[in-house]
Amino acid sequence: MTTRTDAPTRREQILKEAARLFAERGFHGVGVDEIGAAVGISGPGLYRHFPGKDAMLAELLVGISERLLDGGRRRVAESDGDPRALLAALIDGHIDFALNDRSLITLHDRELDRLRDADRKRVRQLQRQYVELWVDAVRATYPELGEPDARAAVHAVFGLLNSTPHLGPAGALTSHGSTAALLHRLARGAFAAAAPGA
């Protein structure tokens, strides 16, 4: 997996600050002037990058769903057919998201219904495809686990991993590495416990 070292673009800076502010105070509690001030430009200057707050919200929520699905597909391609390695890679990828994009989890939980119908449907479509990657990996790792139970286990693990906004401020975590390792053990343990005869 390659790591991007380029400085974020102005558009990326705007989206990052918009996500943080929306998560902290709610979509309607934040004005374009505040988002602009957070990145050092005037509120009206934001309109050179986005037509409005609705467009920012849509790009944030559709964008993260696309990133998760693309990352999952890449991990499938890189797994060489090893289901345990694939499941571990999927877990690691989602943990990376859950620890580094905590504001997007909060934003999704609170603001998804504010998207236009087409954008909300797109998010749901991407999420369903992402879930299917996981269900396939879980069933390949634990063949004795039926499809409904595998699907329920995947959603339960998502709930576990996506609980990171409730862990307190980022600085309150013991360390990124130890928190990631703990979440990985919990996720693997949950899947193993779901298998019949566990």
Side-chain angles (χ1 to χ4, degrees):
M1 183 168 100
T2 59
T3 302
R4 178 178 169 166
T5 56
D6 300 346
T9 66
R10 176 65 78 185
R11 188 179 180 86
E12 290 168 339
Q13 291 171 343
I14 292 167
L15 287 172
K16 180 178 180 181
E17 289 304 314
R20 180 183 65 80
L21 290 167
F22 292 159
E24 286 176 3
R25 298 208 298 275
F27 180 73
H28 287 303
V30 178
V32 291
D33 290 338
E34 293 170 274
I35 299 169
V39 295
I41 61 176
S42 70
L46 287 178
Y47 294 112
R48 288 196 299 271
H49 302 278
F50 296 95
K53 287 196 315 177
D54 290 340
M56 290 180 214
L57 182 64
E59 186 157 335
L60 285 164
L61 295 182
V62 173
I64 192 55
S65 297
E66 289 173 341
R67 272 179 35 212
L68 286 169
L69 179 58
D70 289 346
R73 286 175 170 162
R74 187 183 67 250
R75 289 175 178 89
V76 170
E78 293 171 351
S79 70
D80 293 326
D82 181 343
R84 290 189 180 274
L86 172 57
L87 186 56
L90 287 171
I91 293 169
D92 285 341
H94 199 92
I95 288 171
D96 188 54
F97 153 69
L99 290 176
N100 294 319
D101 291 302
R102 295 165 71 186
S103 60
L104 289 176
I105 295 172
T106 301
L107 200 57
H108 179 277
D109 288 346
R110 291 184 189 163
E111 311 290 356
L112 181 64
D113 288 342
R114 297 194 191 284
L115 292 181
R116 293 179 310 142
D117 286 347
D119 290 326
R120 189 169 54 253
K121 286 177 183 174
R122 177 68 177 148
V123 168
R124 294 299 192 200
Q125 177 189 50
L126 293 164
Q127 290 174 337
R128 283 192 297 272
Q129 293 176 60
Y130 183 59
V131 167
E132 291 312 309
L133 294 179
W134 280 70
V135 171
D136 290 346
V138 169
R139 295 199 68 203
T141 303
Y142 301 101
E144 68 277 21
L145 193 59
E147 188 270 339
D149 286 344
R151 187 174 306 284
V154 166
H155 283 288
V157 167
F158 284 169
L160 174 96
L161 299 180
N162 291 345
S163 68
T164 53
H166 305 291
L167 298 179
L173 302 179
T174 52
S175 77
H176 187 285
S178 61
T179 303
L182 172 62
L183 290 172
H184 191 101
R185 290 195 305 274
L186 290 170
R188 288 304 293 262
F191 286 130

